[in-house]
Amino acid sequence: MKKVIDKSIPDTRTGKLIKKALESKNMTIKDVLHNYMYIRWPKAYIGAPLGEKDIAPIADFITSLIAHPDDKEKMEQLKKDFADTYHGKIIITEEALKLIHIGREVSTTIPERVLPYSKARNMVLNEPDHIVALECPCRAAQKEPCLPMNVCLIIGEPFASFVIENHPKKSRRITIDEAARILEAENARGHIHSAFFKDVMLGRFYSICNCCPCCCGAMEAMKNGIPMLTPSGYISIVDPKKCIGCGQCMEYCPFGAMRIYDKRMHIDPDKCMGCGVCTNKCRKGSLHLALNKKHPEPFKVEELLKSS
């Protein structure tokens, strides 16, 4: 479908995002509409698969932009390909803090060895100090959500301004220091940081989500065999000389990767995603992160800046 950039599109925050999408060589008119629906009604987009019946019609329409619901074969293929177009990279708190303090514009592509998908790997930051705290759509879709709600960090333009314009009651502009406090508080609660990328979001990074296992749609998708989240590239290591087997760290592990036997904590390497949540929960300092060579490489802001 051929695109025509309409000069009559208003010069509003919403209009600027639509124009950016229309100007993209990799997006069709259908993709542009998909983009608008996703960011305009995120709760509907994410909530229907989680069981929110009252918003399912909107999400069904969004799904129809990609494949007709009656086309079972195409829908099955869509599930298989979904993670390639919409995915998150787990990042440790240290790197998440560096990312919001990046301080300059960035334009690069994340290597596939770090983000193992063929699509949506661009890291483009325009006005990176423009940060918006948005009500988490995954939490909003739950009857008894984790609190607080405003923990999705939308970073850079044109996304931040679009969200503020279209979700004035569910979002607010925040400073870099406020964003840092949100990241640190979410880590303390045992929640993981994920840098999210999406094909129709101009094929690039747009947010840091702070995910909890009880609400997160991406973590639920992982349980259903859709690899939406890529491991951080680290693995948690236990120092047997310091560990007393108290189990306090295990209570915070979002992936169920920890268990006690022989009075010591043990890490399941097949389940550990290297989020680092457990490392600051040990009173004895017996846990630390190490590189996991079996997983994709870590996301490192210094490397990102070198390639930009």
Side-chain angles (χ1 to χ4, degrees):
M1 190 182 295
K2 190 175 180 180
K3 292 185 295 183
V4 177
I5 299 177
D6 190 346
K7 293 182 179 179
S8 67
I9 295 174
D11 191 28
T12 61
R13 295 165 180 173
T14 298
K16 288 178 180 178
L17 177 58
I18 292 173
K19 285 179 181 178
K20 280 275 187 184
L22 287 168
E23 289 167 358
S24 172
K25 295 179 180 179
N26 298 319
M27 293 180 67
T28 65
I29 289 293
K30 186 181 285 189
D31 292 333
V32 175
L33 180 57
H34 184 175
N35 161 270
Y36 179 78
M37 295 289 285
Y38 168 71
I39 197 168
R40 181 64 182 83
W41 291 286
K43 181 184 175 184
Y45 190 102
I46 293 168
L50 296 176
E52 285 289 290
K53 295 180 181 179
D54 60 321
I55 56 179
I58 297 175
D60 284 344
F61 174 70
I62 294 170
T63 301
S64 73
L65 294 172
I66 310 168
H68 194 281
D70 293 334
D71 189 340
K72 294 182 179 179
E73 185 177 337
K74 194 169 183 180
M75 286 299 290
E76 284 302 311
Q77 188 61 42
L78 173 61
K79 289 180 181 178
K80 292 179 182 178
D81 296 341
F82 187 70
D84 201 35
T85 63
Y86 185 17
H87 43 255
K89 172 71 174 180
I90 295 175
I91 55 177
I92 61 175
T93 303
E94 178 185 352
E95 295 299 329
L97 290 170
K98 289 179 183 177
L99 183 55
I100 62 169
H101 285 93
I102 207 160
R104 70 174 176 86
E105 299 201 342
V106 173
S107 181
T108 189
T109 298
I110 305 296
E112 203 162 350
R113 66 179 186 273
V114 175
L115 199 64
Y117 306 96
S118 63
K119 301 176 182 177
R121 298 204 327 270
N122 290 335
M123 192 77 186
V124 179
L125 283 174
N126 302 124
E127 298 182 273
D129 59 329
H130 288 200
I131 305 175
V132 168
L134 171 68
E135 177 186 271
C136 172
C138 296
R139 295 186 191 185
Q142 303 294 328
K143 291 182 179 179
E144 296 182 5
C146 290
L147 299 175
M149 297 287 283
N150 292 65
V151 295
C152 283
L153 304 182
I154 310 301
I155 301 175
E157 298 296 352
F159 308 120
S161 291
F162 180 98
V163 167
I164 283 291
E165 184 171 83
N166 288 280
H167 303 285
K169 294 182 179 179
K170 297 180 180 180
S171 65
R172 62 188 178 90
R173 288 194 182 273
I174 60 174
T175 65
I176 292 173
D177 288 342
E178 286 177 293
R181 286 195 290 272
I182 289 173
L183 291 171
E184 290 166 345
E186 283 295 284
N187 174 262
R189 294 182 185 104
H191 301 162
I192 67 169
H193 317 301
S194 301
F196 260 89
F197 298 73
K198 188 167 174 58
D199 59 343
V200 297
M201 294 293 278
L202 308 182
R204 70 200 213 195
F205 163 79
Y206 62 97
S207 75
I208 298 177
C209 292
N210 292 289
C211 309
C212 55
C214 38
C215 301
C216 178
M219 294 176 81
E220 184 65 29
M222 295 288 288
K223 295 176 186 176
N224 296 322
I226 302 173
M228 279 188 71
L229 290 178
T230 297
S232 71
Y234 298 101
I235 188 170
S236 187
I237 301 294
V238 181
D239 184 339
K241 294 180 181 180
K242 294 181 179 180
C243 178
I244 60 173
C246 68
Q248 180 171 316
C249 56
M250 185 171 65
E251 296 175 13
Y252 289 91
C253 179
F255 299 102
M258 310 180 85
R259 65 191 181 97
I260 299 172
Y261 64 86
D262 292 338
K263 297 182 180 180
R264 292 291 182 271
M265 184 60 66
H266 294 265
I267 308 295
D268 185 339
D270 294 326
K271 292 183 178 180
C272 180
M273 298 283 276
C275 63
V277 164
C278 63
T279 58
N280 61 358
K281 301 297 184 291
C282 178
R283 292 174 295 177
K284 300 295 182 178
S286 69
L287 293 162
H288 69 276
L289 292 177
L291 286 176
N292 187 343
K293 295 182 179 180
K294 293 182 179 179
H295 284 169
E297 294 178 12
F299 177 102
K300 294 184 177 181
V301 171
E302 286 90 349
E303 297 300 318
L304 181 76
L305 294 174
K306 287 178 185 177
S307 63
S308 176

